[in-house]
Amino acid sequence: MVNQLIPGVAVGVSRYGRHIVDVPLGWADIENDVPVRRYSMWRMASISKSLTSALVGKLMENGRLSLNESIYKYLKPGIFPVKQWKGKDVDITVGQLMSHTSGLPVDNSDKDMTKIYEYTNCTESVAKFRNDPLISAPGTQYNYSNYAYQVLGAVIESVTNENFATTIDKLMRDIHMNATMAETYGMVVRHRVHDYIRSDSGYLLHPTTNKSQLHLMNAVILDDSLTVEAQWSSGDSYYNINNTNPDLLKSETINQLWEPIFKKTIDKFGTHKTAHGWEVIELDKPITCTNKCQMPASIRKVIWKTGGLYGLATIIVILPEQHICVTFFCNNSSFNNTGLIELALIVAKQFMM
């Protein structure tokens, strides 16, 4: 935290589905001397996609949604027109939206942040990019896409016949995650954690180049420029680490959602593949972290999802064979994915028997 100028951190650990540890560290609000508490409220960023994945899983178990179905079974052309690739109509499946292989772009931040959009649901938010062209043929390439999850939100609204925020909030209440909710613009959130950014961030027009002048800055204006209602299914919810979660999905459903779909990269961790709202690492050798910490050879698979805003970094890491889950939140985006995964694995190692 000192090296990266990270004000605050929250770490949660569960084992065999039982919540066993939550550790708040540092500051939620530097200006007002507010420490991070167990009840502090954090934005989740893109790990919201994993909650959306869980919601899809419930709809699958109820027979209302299928990963292999065309999205056009659920969306009328007036809401989201049939896409073309090289002059021919192409289909997009629900699973392709979730695995970032739909061909839709990530988003258009320059355009999306030029004004504040007022949406009441995900379906309305699709209008601003509904006519944008695909950047690849569906099912052929991995292209991380927030837009794809906004379309998925519209699909869910079509199936449930209600606002996505209402549906996801009901699910959170059903599993006793009572402090997790979809954010709305202007919402007053008690115990909100503030976001910060380092002065050398590449997001800034004039970043600090002299390390001796490095300091923290507020990132709130940048992060609040996002249209939160549009991002419900892809990256805007609030969460605190003081939650208990009973069983939610059947093991068969979880296996479907975690099924590796598309090979992304190979790095020191192993082979990264995208799943449905999750990423999967299949290890071919034990992991050695940057700080020389050696991970046990028994770790053969890692399920994970990261999230990030200008002033926030989040991650969920699940070791399915060890029955361990680690969540990590910090109110500074200094960590890259590799750093977040390493940190979560180092924490997980402390709870292996």
Side-chain angles (χ1 to χ4, degrees):
M1 291 173 67
V2 172
N3 290 340
Q4 299 290 337
L5 291 186
I6 295 172
V9 165
V11 182
V13 181
S14 66
R15 192 163 186 266
Y16 288 98
R18 183 187 176 100
H19 187 70
I20 56 175
V21 169
D22 52 76
V23 180
L25 296 168
W27 299 100
D29 182 343
I30 297 172
E31 292 167 308
N32 294 297
D33 293 331
V34 180
V36 178
R37 306 286 193 186
R38 293 178 70 244
Y39 49 77
S40 294
M41 296 293 287
W42 298 78
R43 273 182 170 150
M44 296 176 66
S46 281
I47 61 174
S48 297
K49 292 180 175 70
S50 299
L51 294 190
T52 301
S53 177
L55 176 55
V56 169
K58 290 300 290 184
L59 294 172
M60 289 165 56
E61 291 181 352
N62 294 333
R64 303 174 72 184
L65 204 57
S66 169
L67 297 178
N68 296 321
E69 288 281 6
S70 168
I71 64 171
Y72 299 110
K73 174 181 177 180
Y74 309 103
L75 298 180
K76 297 178 180 178
I79 294 174
F80 195 73
V82 175
K83 291 296 179 180
Q84 289 196 333
W85 182 253
K86 295 185 176 179
K88 295 183 179 179
D89 288 353
V90 291
D91 197 13
I92 299 173
T93 67
V94 173
Q96 287 168 345
L97 291 178
M98 297 179 69
S99 61
H100 302 286
T101 58
S102 66
L104 290 169
V106 56
D107 54 28
N108 187 339
S109 297
D110 292 339
K111 181 175 71 174
D112 294 346
M113 290 187 178
T114 54
K115 66 183 233 182
I116 296 174
Y117 296 87
E118 292 190 28
Y119 300 122
T120 60
N121 54 48
C122 290
T123 304
E124 291 176 3
S125 76
V126 170
K128 69 175 183 291
F129 61 86
R130 62 189 296 275
N131 294 317
D132 290 357
L134 298 178
I135 58 176
S136 63
T140 64
Q141 290 185 26
Y142 171 86
N143 295 292
Y144 192 88
S145 179
N146 289 326
Y147 281 170
Y149 270 75
Q150 289 176 233
V151 176
L152 178 62
V155 169
I156 292 170
E157 288 177 344
S158 173
V159 169
T160 61
N161 198 31
E162 65 182 7
N163 185 303
F164 178 89
T166 300
T167 307
I168 196 71
D169 284 350
K170 284 180 183 177
L171 178 64
M172 296 301 100
R173 301 297 85 74
D174 288 345
I175 59 174
H176 309 307
M177 291 180 66
N178 298 317
T180 302
M181 68 195 75
E183 183 185 6
T184 58
Y185 186 78
M187 176 186 284
V188 175
V189 179
R190 294 191 66 203
H191 313 300
R192 182 197 297 260
V193 175
H194 287 262
D195 300 347
Y196 298 93
I197 193 170
R198 283 170 36 149
S199 61
D200 63 348
S201 171
Y203 294 127
L204 301 174
L205 289 175
H206 304 289
T208 299
T209 56
N210 188 333
K211 288 188 177 181
S212 65
Q213 298 176 346
L214 189 63
H215 60 279
L216 281 176
M217 301 171 59
N218 278 310
V220 172
I221 294 176
L222 290 171
D223 284 352
D224 283 354
S225 297
L226 293 169
T227 308
V228 292
E229 287 83 358
Q231 304 288 338
W232 281 330
S233 51
S234 63
D236 245 304
S237 307
Y238 267 94
Y239 172 84
N240 76 25
I241 60 175
N242 187 20
N243 283 311
T244 57
N245 311 320
D247 289 342
L248 171 60
L249 299 173
K250 299 174 183 176
S251 58
E252 312 91 80
T253 307
I254 294 172
N255 289 336
Q256 279 186 273
L257 296 173
W258 284 355
E259 180 184 1
I261 299 299
F262 203 88
K263 182 178 177 180
K264 286 176 55 185
T265 57
I266 299 177
D267 62 13
K268 69 176 184 178
F269 293 124
T271 302
H272 290 247
K273 296 182 180 180
T274 179
H276 301 95
W278 295 91
E279 307 284 340
V280 179
I281 307 175
E282 296 173 341
L283 278 62
D284 48 19
K285 60 182 179 180
I287 297 171
T288 301
C289 295
T290 304
N291 69 351
K292 309 301 181 185
C293 179
Q294 183 79 30
M295 291 294 112
S298 59
I299 301 177
R300 294 175 294 178
K301 180 180 286 187
V302 180
I303 311 292
W304 62 282
K305 184 72 187 79
T306 58
L309 295 170
Y310 293 105
L312 177 78
T314 62
I315 189 170
I316 302 176
V317 166
I318 298 173
L319 305 180
E321 294 162 329
Q322 289 73 29
H323 305 280
I324 292 175
C325 174
V326 176
T327 57
F328 176 82
F329 291 70
C330 69
N331 52 349
N332 184 320
S333 58
S334 299
F335 278 112
N336 57 24
N337 284 354
T338 299
L340 284 169
I341 294 170
E342 284 193 354
L343 182 61
L345 287 174
I346 290 168
V347 170
K349 184 179 179 181
Q350 313 310 312
F351 299 90
M352 293 184 189
M353 299 177 64

